[in-house]
């Protein structure tokens, strides 16, 4: 395949607007606006990066036409008043000056609003309990989850909102945007009207396909009247909604024809509604381009441009589907969060430099929009933290040693080297990667290798010295100006009879392939042997990944956890899909091999004793039970800070980062490492709260050093 991706970089017309290439940022609500929904510098900085990165069309994420009744996230942008126009204009200009075309997506969330909480209006009366959505209410401690009550809008309210959508589009046009998009996907208000699953009305806005389509078509008609016939209107909707009784591809093709006839300039075909969160936000399980068939189907019945999206990551794939006529444009959301320079890197023939999104949904969803915070990214520290947007050279160049080449260590090394420090990584194993290497064994986690591959590549390209198979305790570390310990976590071994008979999860998740691209060297350790019936004891990614890796290989897996529910802390959409798979099924739209023997989960239980062929389990009612098992796997992690403590006690200037400080997920390990890399030359120290700090006033720094 040619590396200049001709199909991707051929201009295309949407209405009378020419988009310079086929790369679209499909709408992404970064939830970073001001509290009233105004554009601010952080919103501009995020979108300007996308434009600088060569994205052809940038569709700014869900923006509300009516703050009073519906915000998809608490700090989404607002387009419901004229005083937002100047800010929106700054935003449009920041993208257009780099040659990008831009749109704003207008969205009313209906039942899925993040605010207000009560009396939420929707297309029909309904109770929504959608734990994967950003509109899901945080349940107050002590409250029981009951779902959010939404009520059917009156016809007057529907007409009022149609007008508000049109006025919002007019403001987008006044602000200088090139086009506007309507959000009819993912179960938000327009989708609620369009879908037989949510539209239970018997009036002119429901009952039949014509009735269900009246709401979006009237909005389009009103926009055309307000903005004139030449202002392109795009519509996003899901090709398949994936719930019984919802819309599937045949009706979506009919709808496409209706939109084209109404004068819509392009169709942006997405997937899912939040009742089926898997296909809506596709966690790691979903393969690249799994949703492309829907744009292909829609393209077969219309002649306006069609955009596809969902887990598009590589320019090779995107270029190919455009060439094959399956889509006209490639829509990327999370990929551009992870790397806004995707298009430029592809155009320059350097696709291997792209930091591919790993679909973890931790930074951009679980730890931000879902809990009413600004968007972050697990692998790109610059998202939401302007200090990483334009990394400055260090004033003083230091010699830094980083013990441990796991996530935190590698990211610290990368940022420190970018700042000009001379960095050496001392790694005890024969490869960099740390816990990331266990991902080879878990089908759903294959994408994590992309990040491992990318960061290893950066480390090699930045001239960082990597010393493998090194015992740092035996090294003379005093020759370094600063030392970071990123020695990772270790498996917790409980103090119970028979604990020595158990196997550690990290010894099980050793990739079985010899000399694969991530383990190219000799000397790879053998994985621990496991029997047919296996107990996995733990309840976080370590446990769920181990359970999945073994279940997919035909083992009978029993998961034991003291927690009240299965994996409460892992990303909820990933968990939802995993639960379906552990039950022996598959999530919607997923074609991965199902697990043959369902995983049995014992919650609120613990293990009292491990015997040769069984364990003694105790449940929440203190009932003891003997369960047969060939192998018991310990899958709880604790920090491995032994080396850090001993070096610090010897008086070495050393800071602890990543899992050896506290066991953390990929986002927190990456952020912690990035922070350390940034602060290295600022007199990095651990403050009284156990947090890495830097930039002390000189007089305080001198006092601290004495
Ligand atoms: C943080 C975040 C915000 C999103 N905001 C929107 C939005 O405002 N409007 C929308 O239509 N889709 C939104 N999406 C969905 C994406 O546009 C996209 O359809 C989905 O993430 C799958 O595609 P991807 O693999 O390219 O991310 C959002 C997704 C994420 C992760």
């Amino acid at each position: 395949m040619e590396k200049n991706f001709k199909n991707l970089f051929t201009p295309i017309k949407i209405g009378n607007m020419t988009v310079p290439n086929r790369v679209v940022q499909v709408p992404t609500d970064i939830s970073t606006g001001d509290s009233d929904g105004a554009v601010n510098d952080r919103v501009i900085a995020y979108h300007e990066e996308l434009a600088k990165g060569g994205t052809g069309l940038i569709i700014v994420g869900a923006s509300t036409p009516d703050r009073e009744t519906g915000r998809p996230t608490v700090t989404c942008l607002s387009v419901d008043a004229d005083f937002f126009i100047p800010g929106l204009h700054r935003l449009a200009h920041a993208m257009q000056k780099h040659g990008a075309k831009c749109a704003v997506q207008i969205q009313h969330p209906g039942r899925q609003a993040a605010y207000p909480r009560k009396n939420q209006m929707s297309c029909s009366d309904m109770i929504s309990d959608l734990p994967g959505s950003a509109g899901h209410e945080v349940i107050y401690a002590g409250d029981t989850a009951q779902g959010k009550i939404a009520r059917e809008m009156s016809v007057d309210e529907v007409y009022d909102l149609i007008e508000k959508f049109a006025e919002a589009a007019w403001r987008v046009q006044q602000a200088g945007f090139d086009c506007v998009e309507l959000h009819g996907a993912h179960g938000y208000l327009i989708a609620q009207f369009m879908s037989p699953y949510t539209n239970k009305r018997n009036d002119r806005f429901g009952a039949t396909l014509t009735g269900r389509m009246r709401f979006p078509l009237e909005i389009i008609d009103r926009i055309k009247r307000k903005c004139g016939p030449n202002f392109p209107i795009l519509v996003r909707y899901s090709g398949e909604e994936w719930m019984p009784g919802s819309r599937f591809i045949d009706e979506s093709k009919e709808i496409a024809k209706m939109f084209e006839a109404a004068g819509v300039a392009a169709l942006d075909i997405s997937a899912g509604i939040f009742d089926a969160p898997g296909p809506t936000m596709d966690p790691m399980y979903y393969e690249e381009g799994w949703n492309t068939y829907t744009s292909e189907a829609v393209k077969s019945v219309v002649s306006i441009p069609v955009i596809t999206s969902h887990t598009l990551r590589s320019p090779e794939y995107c270029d190919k589907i455009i060439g094959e006529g399956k889509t006209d444009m490639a829509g990327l959301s999370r990929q551009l969060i992870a790397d806004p320079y995707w298009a430029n890197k592809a155009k320059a023939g350097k696709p291997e430099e792209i930091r591919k999104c790993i679909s973890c949904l931790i930074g951009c969803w679980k730890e931000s929009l879902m809990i009413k915070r600004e968007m972050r990214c697990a692998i790109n520290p610059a998202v939401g933290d302007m200090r990483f947007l334009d990394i400055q050279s260090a004033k003083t160049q230091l010699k830094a040693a980083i013990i441990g080449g796991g996530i935190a260590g590698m990211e610290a090394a990368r940022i420190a080297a970018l700042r000009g420090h001379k960095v050496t990584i001392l790694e005890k194993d024969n490869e960099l990667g740390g816990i990331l290497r266990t991902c080879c064994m878990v089908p759903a986690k294959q994408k994590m290798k992309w990040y491992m591959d990318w960061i290893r590549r950066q480390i090699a390209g930045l001239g960082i010295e990597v010393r493998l198979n090194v015992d740092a305790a035996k090294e003379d570390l005093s020759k370094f100006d600063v030392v970071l310990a990123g020695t990772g976590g270790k498996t917790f071994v409980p103090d119970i009879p028979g604990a020595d008979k158990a196997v550690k999860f990290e010894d099980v998740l050793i990739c079985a392939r010899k000399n694969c691209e991530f383990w190219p060297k000799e000397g790879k350790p053998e994985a621990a042997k496991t029997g047919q019936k296996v107990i996995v004891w733990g309840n976080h990614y370590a446990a769920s990944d181990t359970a999945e890796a073994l279940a997919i290989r035909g083992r009978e897996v029993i998961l034991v956890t003291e927690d009240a529910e299965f994996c409460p802390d892992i990303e909820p959409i990933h968990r939802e899909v995993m639960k379906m798979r552990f039950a022996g099924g598959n999530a919607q739209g997923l074609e991965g091999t199902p697990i043959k023997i369902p995983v049995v989960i014992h919650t609120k239980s613990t293990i009292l004793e491990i015997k040769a062929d069984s364990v003694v389990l105790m449940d929440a009612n203190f009932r003891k039970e003997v369960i047969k098992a060939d192998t018991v796997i310990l899958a709880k992690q604790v920090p491995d800070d032994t080396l850090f403590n001993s070096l610090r006690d010897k008086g070495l200037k050393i800071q602890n980062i990543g899992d050896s400080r506290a066991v953390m997920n990929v986002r927190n390990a990456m952020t912690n490492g990035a922070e350390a890399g940034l602060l290295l030359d600022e007199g990095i120290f651990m403050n009284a709260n156990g947090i890495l700090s830097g930039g002390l006033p000189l007089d305080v720094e001198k006092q601290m050093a004495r």
Side-chain angles (χ1 to χ4, degrees):
M1 162 116 32
E2 282 185 64
K3 270 200 170 175
N4 62 355
F5 310 115
K6 257 206 207 106
N7 301 314
L8 261 180
F9 295 104
T10 303
I12 185 169
K13 277 197 114 155
I14 293 183
N16 57 8
M17 159 182 82
T18 304
V19 182
N21 61 51
R22 309 296 181 96
V23 185
V24 184
Q25 189 227 219
V26 279
T28 308
D29 173 3
I30 64 170
S31 193
T32 303
D34 283 344
S35 53
D36 59 354
V39 169
N40 57 34
D41 287 350
R42 297 188 311 286
V43 171
I44 291 181
Y46 181 83
H47 290 91
E48 185 164 359
E49 282 288 290
L50 298 172
K52 275 197 208 160
T55 314
L57 172 62
I58 300 167
I59 307 173
V60 173
S63 305
T64 179
D66 191 21
R67 268 170 297 162
E68 197 61 25
T69 60
R71 285 182 175 204
T73 58
V74 283
T75 41
C76 70
L77 294 184
S78 300
V79 279
D80 67 352
D82 290 0
F83 53 74
F84 292 121
I85 294 174
L88 288 164
H89 172 66
R90 281 175 62 217
L91 177 59
H93 179 65
M95 294 182 270
Q96 287 162 339
K97 73 181 184 206
H98 299 287
K101 297 290 176 192
C102 53
V104 170
Q105 184 190 53
I106 306 177
Q107 190 243 49
H108 190 291
R111 66 176 180 150
Q112 280 159 220
Y115 173 91
R117 304 224 155 93
K118 304 228 159 44
N119 194 26
Q120 185 54 50
M121 65 190 204
S122 180
C123 152
S124 307
D125 284 348
M126 55 184 84
I127 294 185
S128 63
D129 186 14
L130 306 169
S133 95
H136 180 62
E137 285 307 339
V138 176
I139 304 299
Y140 305 110
D143 267 6
T144 342
Q146 286 173 340
K148 199 157 59 170
I149 297 169
R151 62 167 179 84
E152 178 172 307
M153 293 163 74
S154 70
V155 170
D156 281 352
E157 282 175 321
V158 177
Y159 277 112
D160 182 52
L161 206 57
I162 289 171
E163 198 56 29
K164 284 180 170 150
F165 264 97
E167 281 176 8
W170 176 82
R171 288 184 195 102
V172 169
Q173 185 187 36
Q174 291 302 302
F177 280 84
D178 302 286
C179 50
V180 69
E181 182 175 276
L182 296 177
H183 194 342
H186 310 158
Y188 295 104
L189 189 62
I190 293 180
Q192 285 157 41
F193 273 90
M194 284 167 60
S195 174
Y197 179 72
T198 38
N199 187 336
K200 305 294 176 203
R201 300 175 77 101
N202 284 315
D203 62 6
R204 56 197 321 253
F205 288 102
T208 60
L209 174 61
T210 313
R212 285 187 270 120
M213 285 298 288
R214 197 176 307 279
F215 183 57
L217 292 177
E218 293 242 7
I219 294 174
I220 290 162
D221 182 58
R222 289 300 299 158
I223 296 177
K224 285 201 168 290
R225 287 191 209 192
K226 274 204 194 304
C227 302
N230 296 327
F231 187 56
I233 303 169
L234 286 68
V235 178
R236 188 168 215 217
Y237 67 99
S238 298
E240 312 230 59
E241 292 189 323
W242 288 109
M243 284 303 285
S246 68
R247 189 182 59 250
F248 285 89
I249 194 66
D250 287 344
E251 189 174 281
S252 288
K253 283 160 78 176
E254 289 311 304
I255 284 176
K257 290 190 250 173
M258 293 166 95
F259 279 137
E260 183 172 38
V264 165
L267 296 172
D268 179 357
I269 305 300
S270 188
I273 50 177
F274 272 101
D275 307 65
T280 310
M281 297 299 286
D282 22 344
M284 291 182 181
Y285 288 90
Y286 288 77
E287 296 284 332
E288 169 137 45
W290 68 273
N291 187 42
T292 305
Y293 72 96
T294 57
S295 67
E296 188 180 5
V298 166
K299 245 183 92 57
S300 69
V301 295
V302 293
S303 49
I304 50 177
V306 175
I307 304 167
T308 187
S309 58
H310 286 264
T311 312
L312 301 182
R313 302 288 182 261
S314 69
E316 290 86 350
Y317 179 79
C318 295
D319 191 76
K320 180 166 146 308
I321 53 175
I322 296 170
E324 291 170 351
K326 293 180 175 163
T327 187
D328 295 296
M329 304 182 83
L332 317 172
S333 167
R334 288 169 295 174
Q335 177 52 63
L336 296 181
I337 303 173
D339 193 342
Y341 286 81
W342 189 91
N344 280 352
K345 289 178 183 176
K347 182 104 200 281
K350 294 181 185 299
E352 64 284 355
E353 292 292 344
I354 290 171
R355 176 169 39 197
K356 286 207 229 166
C357 164
I358 57 176
S359 304
C360 70
L361 288 168
I362 294 174
C364 64
W365 200 246
K366 175 182 188 263
E367 294 186 359
S368 49
L369 273 66
M370 279 205 68
I371 53 169
K372 306 190 194 311
R373 296 185 188 165
E374 294 181 2
M375 191 180 74
R376 294 296 170 109
C377 175
I379 58 172
N380 180 0
V383 176
D385 192 337
M386 309 267 274
R387 294 171 307 158
F388 292 98
L389 267 190
D390 186 13
I391 296 170
Q392 303 292 316
S393 294
K395 289 185 206 96
T396 336
Q397 200 192 57
L398 301 180
K399 273 170 72 182
I402 298 176
I403 307 172
I407 300 170
M410 290 192 293
E411 190 64 24
R414 183 179 81 85
I415 301 288
L418 282 171
R419 302 203 62 211
H421 298 303
K422 176 130 189 36
V423 183
T424 304
I425 299 180
L426 306 171
E427 168 57 49
K428 72 173 177 355
D429 283 339
N430 62 352
E431 289 291 324
L432 292 179
I435 194 81
L436 285 172
R437 289 173 302 172
T438 61
C439 296
C440 293
M441 286 294 280
V442 190
K445 290 272 169 99
Q446 298 301 303
K447 294 184 178 69
M448 299 282 269
K449 291 195 294 184
W450 290 342
Y451 173 55
M452 182 161 74
D453 193 24
W454 178 84
I455 193 149
R456 283 178 173 188
R457 211 187 144 72
Q458 302 310 307
I459 286 169
L462 285 166
I464 295 167
E465 185 189 2
V466 178
R467 292 179 49 207
L468 301 170
N469 304 307
V470 171
D471 180 356
K474 294 190 182 139
E475 293 288 311
D476 174 15
L477 296 169
S478 63
K479 62 184 183 205
F480 294 99
D481 301 309
V482 57
V483 182
L484 299 177
T487 47
K490 62 181 178 195
T491 304
F492 169 70
V493 182
D495 187 11
I496 56 164
D500 56 320
K501 295 189 188 71
V503 176
K504 294 175 181 169
F505 85 96
E506 72 256 34
D507 295 333
V508 174
L509 293 185
I510 288 174
C511 171
R513 281 182 295 164
K514 296 275 176 202
N515 299 322
C516 77
E517 57 184 319
F518 294 99
W519 285 90
K521 300 194 176 64
E522 294 303 317
K524 181 173 166 181
E526 288 283 323
K529 299 266 180 294
T530 51
Q532 173 57 18
K533 190 162 181 174
V534 177
I535 289 183
V536 178
W537 187 9
N539 204 21
H540 200 48
Y541 285 113
S544 59
D545 286 355
T546 310
E548 174 128 20
L550 293 173
I552 199 79
R553 288 170 178 82
R555 304 289 205 290
E556 216 176 310
V557 179
I558 300 165
L559 211 137
V560 175
T561 168
E562 286 83 6
D563 292 330
E565 52 172 320
F566 164 68
C567 286
D569 296 325
I570 74 174
E571 191 282 310
I573 304 179
H574 186 101
R575 182 179 61 214
E576 192 65 24
V577 172
M578 185 184 277
K579 267 162 88 176
M580 288 166 130
R581 285 180 56 74
F582 277 10
N586 234 340
Q588 305 90 335
L590 204 61
E591 288 182 349
T593 321
I595 283 164
K596 282 199 200 84
I597 308 170
V599 174
V600 174
I601 302 171
H602 288 270
T603 54
K604 295 189 185 167
S605 300
T606 194
I607 294 175
L608 300 179
E609 185 178 351
I610 300 172
K611 299 182 176 178
D613 61 351
S614 61
V615 301
V616 180
L617 192 86
M618 186 170 75
D619 69 14
N621 299 317
F622 307 103
R623 256 197 323 257
K624 290 183 191 171
E625 187 187 348
V626 174
I627 300 187
K628 289 268 173 216
D630 302 315
T631 314
V632 176
I633 301 174
L634 304 174
K636 288 181 201 164
Q637 280 191 298
V638 287
D640 185 0
D641 54 6
T642 325
L643 184 61
F644 164 74
N645 288 331
S646 81
L647 292 172
R648 189 196 47 190
D649 293 349
K650 281 183 194 152
L652 189 77
K653 188 168 189 280
I654 184 168
Q655 304 302 344
N656 196 7
I657 59 170
D659 280 1
S660 48
R661 210 186 94 202
V663 173
M664 42 184 100
N665 62 26
V666 57
R667 165 173 124 74
N668 292 314
M670 184 284 301
T671 309
N672 193 225
E675 186 83 24
L678 197 72
L679 294 176
L680 265 191
D681 54 315
E682 293 196 11
I684 187 172
F685 78 110
M686 184 84 74
N687 77 9
N689 303 322
I691 297 298
L692 292 178
S693 299
L696 284 177
L698 193 62
D699 59 337
V700 178
E701 203 175 312
K702 294 273 179 252
Q703 292 164 42
M704 299 290 290
R706 278 202 285 270

